[in-house]
Amino acid sequence: MQLKLSGRIAGLLCGVAMAGLLPMSASADDTKIITSWDLQTQERTVATIRDAADRFEAANPGFNIEDVHIANDAYKTKLKIAFGANEAPCVFTSWGGGPLREYIKAGNVTDLTPYLQKNKEFADRFLPASFSPAKYDGDVYGLPVMGTSVAVIIYNKAIFEKFDIKPPKTWAELMDVVETLNEHKIAPFALANKAKWPGSMFFVYLADRIGGPDVFQKAADREPGGSFEDPTFIKAGKLLQDLVKAGGFARGYNGLDYDIGGSRRLLYSGRAAMELMGSWEFGSIENENPDFAKNVGFFTFPAVEGGKGDPNNAIGTMGDNYISINSACPYQDKAFELLMYSTDDTAAKLKMEDNKILPIKDAEVEDPYLAEVMDAVAKAPSIQLWYDQELAPSLAEIHKDTTQQLLGLSITPEEAAAKMEAAAKELAGK
């Protein structure tokens, strides 16, 4: 399949509206309601979601899709409460990994494997590795619905050119860039870390560059010799604090809100030169500030001198968000049909226009930024799922807390590592 930009997405923007929360049961006029929740609030992205719903409704008279769009961090809480109260939607998105596994183990999620086996041609379009974060005991519980996303360092090309700065390839070179930018009164990195997960990306990349992906996996899986007190994690904390002490971030970073564009505004104003963020940020920037988007470049996270990790390794996901079915939904077959509309070739084309690439085979990417991202993905020997999504929710929260504390210089790397290891041992013992 070849994905081409059609320009169609502009027309979809008309009439996009936020839907209210409605029950999964039929309405008074016998119209069957399938409620679908996601964590997308960008207008263009919401339009692509609604298009799939509209096409489903046209093919299924008597069914209505009520789509609800909730900001990232509020979504996590709302979905957890909804499942706890047996009021969760028929269809919902997640990041896969630990949180989705918790719902699966509780019996809340439909196994999609039989549906994929019945629709083999549709299933075979996806890159096999893209299902990994939504698998449990070999079965598939979610489809990749938003795109391939890896964390990259986005930078303002005009600022780099003005001060003759080259994208750094090593940690030492990055620290030199930090010094140069500070000399010119420009904050090196924009960071909005109120929600804690944006700052986690720095720690995860440092740990990967220092020790490689196996160190984390052994600690997370409680394999022999695996520990969150491994020297890799302690050194990652030290380097992160070195960056803080060197003036690596714009002021107030631990209190800024990413969901309202706190970090991007620093880029737009020229007050900061770089941002470490998922490659979805290109779409957000293009939607909000298309003129600035023309001046954006990116480079991969630099190597750490003496580190064991391959500098081509990436953190992120080949599926970004995953769309799943609530096992209590009364319309299981139709819910899967909606999942198909949400990830079919038409959806893939529209997502491409929104700078999101579904992980499907033989996708031809014309946008130069997206092509570079996919090239980086192709070169990556390992793609580490974000720690806060790979870990069980309780341990993920401690990881985010300790990383925010490291960034705030309120905890030592040794103390952060000890907290993680103690929590991991406690969780494993339950």
Side-chain angles (χ1 to χ4, degrees):
M1 164 190 166
Q2 293 188 346
L3 303 183
K4 301 291 186 180
L5 303 187
S6 68
R8 180 183 171 194
I9 195 166
L12 294 175
L13 297 181
C14 298
V16 172
M18 300 288 284
L21 302 184
L22 292 176
M24 292 188 293
S25 58
S27 64
D29 62 358
D30 291 331
T31 297
K32 299 178 178 65
I33 304 296
I34 296 179
T35 306
S36 175
W37 289 9
D38 60 70
L39 50 117
Q40 304 299 326
T41 56
Q42 290 276 345
E43 191 176 17
R44 285 171 58 119
T45 306
V46 167
T48 68
I49 295 169
R50 188 61 233 174
D51 177 79
D54 289 342
R55 290 187 292 115
F56 170 90
E57 290 176 353
N60 292 278
F63 279 88
N64 278 357
I65 304 301
E66 299 293 348
D67 48 328
V68 181
H69 316 288
I70 306 164
N72 191 320
D73 289 289
Y75 180 84
K76 299 176 187 177
T77 302
K78 188 177 287 289
L79 187 64
K80 184 176 182 179
I81 292 172
F83 269 116
N86 294 318
E87 295 177 352
C90 263
V91 172
F92 67 98
T93 58
S94 74
W95 298 262
L100 180 60
R101 286 195 293 270
E102 292 295 307
Y103 293 129
I104 293 169
K105 288 187 282 188
N108 296 140
V109 190
T110 299
D111 179 7
L112 303 182
T113 308
Y115 287 106
L116 295 174
Q117 291 171 343
K118 290 178 184 176
N119 297 276
K120 198 169 187 307
E121 184 177 351
F122 167 80
D124 286 348
R125 296 162 52 253
F126 294 95
L127 295 170
S130 67
F131 292 117
S132 296
K135 276 189 171 183
Y136 182 72
D137 282 348
D139 293 320
V140 177
Y141 288 84
L143 301 185
V145 71
M146 268 299 121
T148 303
S149 293
V150 294
V152 295
I153 297 179
I154 294 165
Y155 72 99
N156 184 325
K157 292 191 289 187
I159 290 177
F160 271 49
E161 290 171 6
K162 181 176 181 179
F163 301 116
D164 194 27
I165 298 172
K166 299 292 187 289
K169 296 185 181 299
T170 67
W171 183 254
E173 290 178 2
L174 177 64
M175 295 300 281
D176 288 340
V177 171
V178 168
E179 183 177 358
T180 298
L181 290 168
N182 276 317
E183 287 174 356
H184 294 284
K185 310 297 183 187
I186 297 172
F189 281 100
L191 175 63
N193 198 42
K194 180 180 179 181
K196 306 173 188 176
W197 60 264
S200 163
M201 294 183 184
F202 285 90
F203 183 88
V204 176
Y205 256 131
L206 283 167
D208 184 271
R209 294 294 188 260
I210 293 164
D214 289 345
V215 176
F216 168 77
Q217 212 58 56
K218 286 181 179 179
D221 293 343
R222 311 314 296 161
E223 295 179 10
S227 171
F228 284 106
E229 289 186 281
D230 188 280
T232 288
F233 299 114
I234 294 172
K235 185 174 180 181
K238 288 180 177 178
L239 292 184
L240 181 56
Q241 292 195 328
D242 286 346
L243 181 59
V244 173
K245 293 171 185 176
F249 300 99
R251 292 181 180 179
Y253 51 88
N254 265 345
L256 295 179
D257 190 343
Y258 174 80
D259 282 347
I260 60 172
S263 50
R264 292 191 297 277
R265 285 198 293 267
L266 290 168
L267 292 178
Y268 301 155
S269 66
R271 292 162 57 196
M274 300 179 286
E275 181 189 23
L276 175 62
M277 186 45 62
S279 50
W280 65 75
E281 196 76 320
F282 291 117
S284 298
I285 291 172
E286 191 170 75
N287 291 341
E288 294 173 347
N289 196 332
D291 288 336
F292 183 83
K294 299 172 185 175
N295 192 40
V296 169
F298 82 89
F299 56 91
T300 55
F301 198 89
V304 172
E305 292 80 355
K308 297 178 182 178
D310 191 312
N312 289 316
N313 286 349
I315 64 169
T317 173
M318 292 182 71
D320 203 2
N321 291 168
Y322 287 82
I323 189 168
S324 300
I325 301 172
N326 180 351
S327 58
C329 177
Y331 313 118
Q332 293 286 309
D333 292 348
K334 289 301 179 181
F336 183 76
E337 191 175 335
L338 175 61
L339 266 58
M340 292 179 69
Y341 275 101
S342 300
T343 56
D344 64 10
D345 291 353
T346 299
K349 291 178 183 179
L350 294 177
K351 291 174 195 296
M352 176 76 81
E353 295 184 18
D354 192 28
N355 297 298
K356 296 174 176 63
I357 310 169
L358 278 182
I360 54 179
K361 298 170 184 175
D362 302 322
E364 182 176 293
V365 183
E366 294 184 344
D367 183 279
Y369 290 120
L370 298 182
E372 286 186 58
V373 168
M374 293 305 290
D375 185 55
V377 170
K379 290 178 180 177
S382 165
I383 299 179
Q384 170 64 60
L385 184 64
W386 328 97
Y387 282 10
D388 62 310
Q389 301 306 329
E390 177 63 31
L391 295 169
S394 60
L395 190 55
E397 286 304 311
I398 293 170
H399 161 68
K400 290 190 293 183
D401 287 344
T402 53
T403 303
Q404 189 181 60
Q405 290 164 349
L406 285 168
L407 283 159
L409 304 179
S410 62
I411 194 174
T412 69
E414 291 81 4
E415 290 169 339
K419 281 189 174 184
M420 280 293 293
E421 180 61 15
K425 283 181 177 177
E426 182 181 358
L427 184 65
K430 290 182 178 179

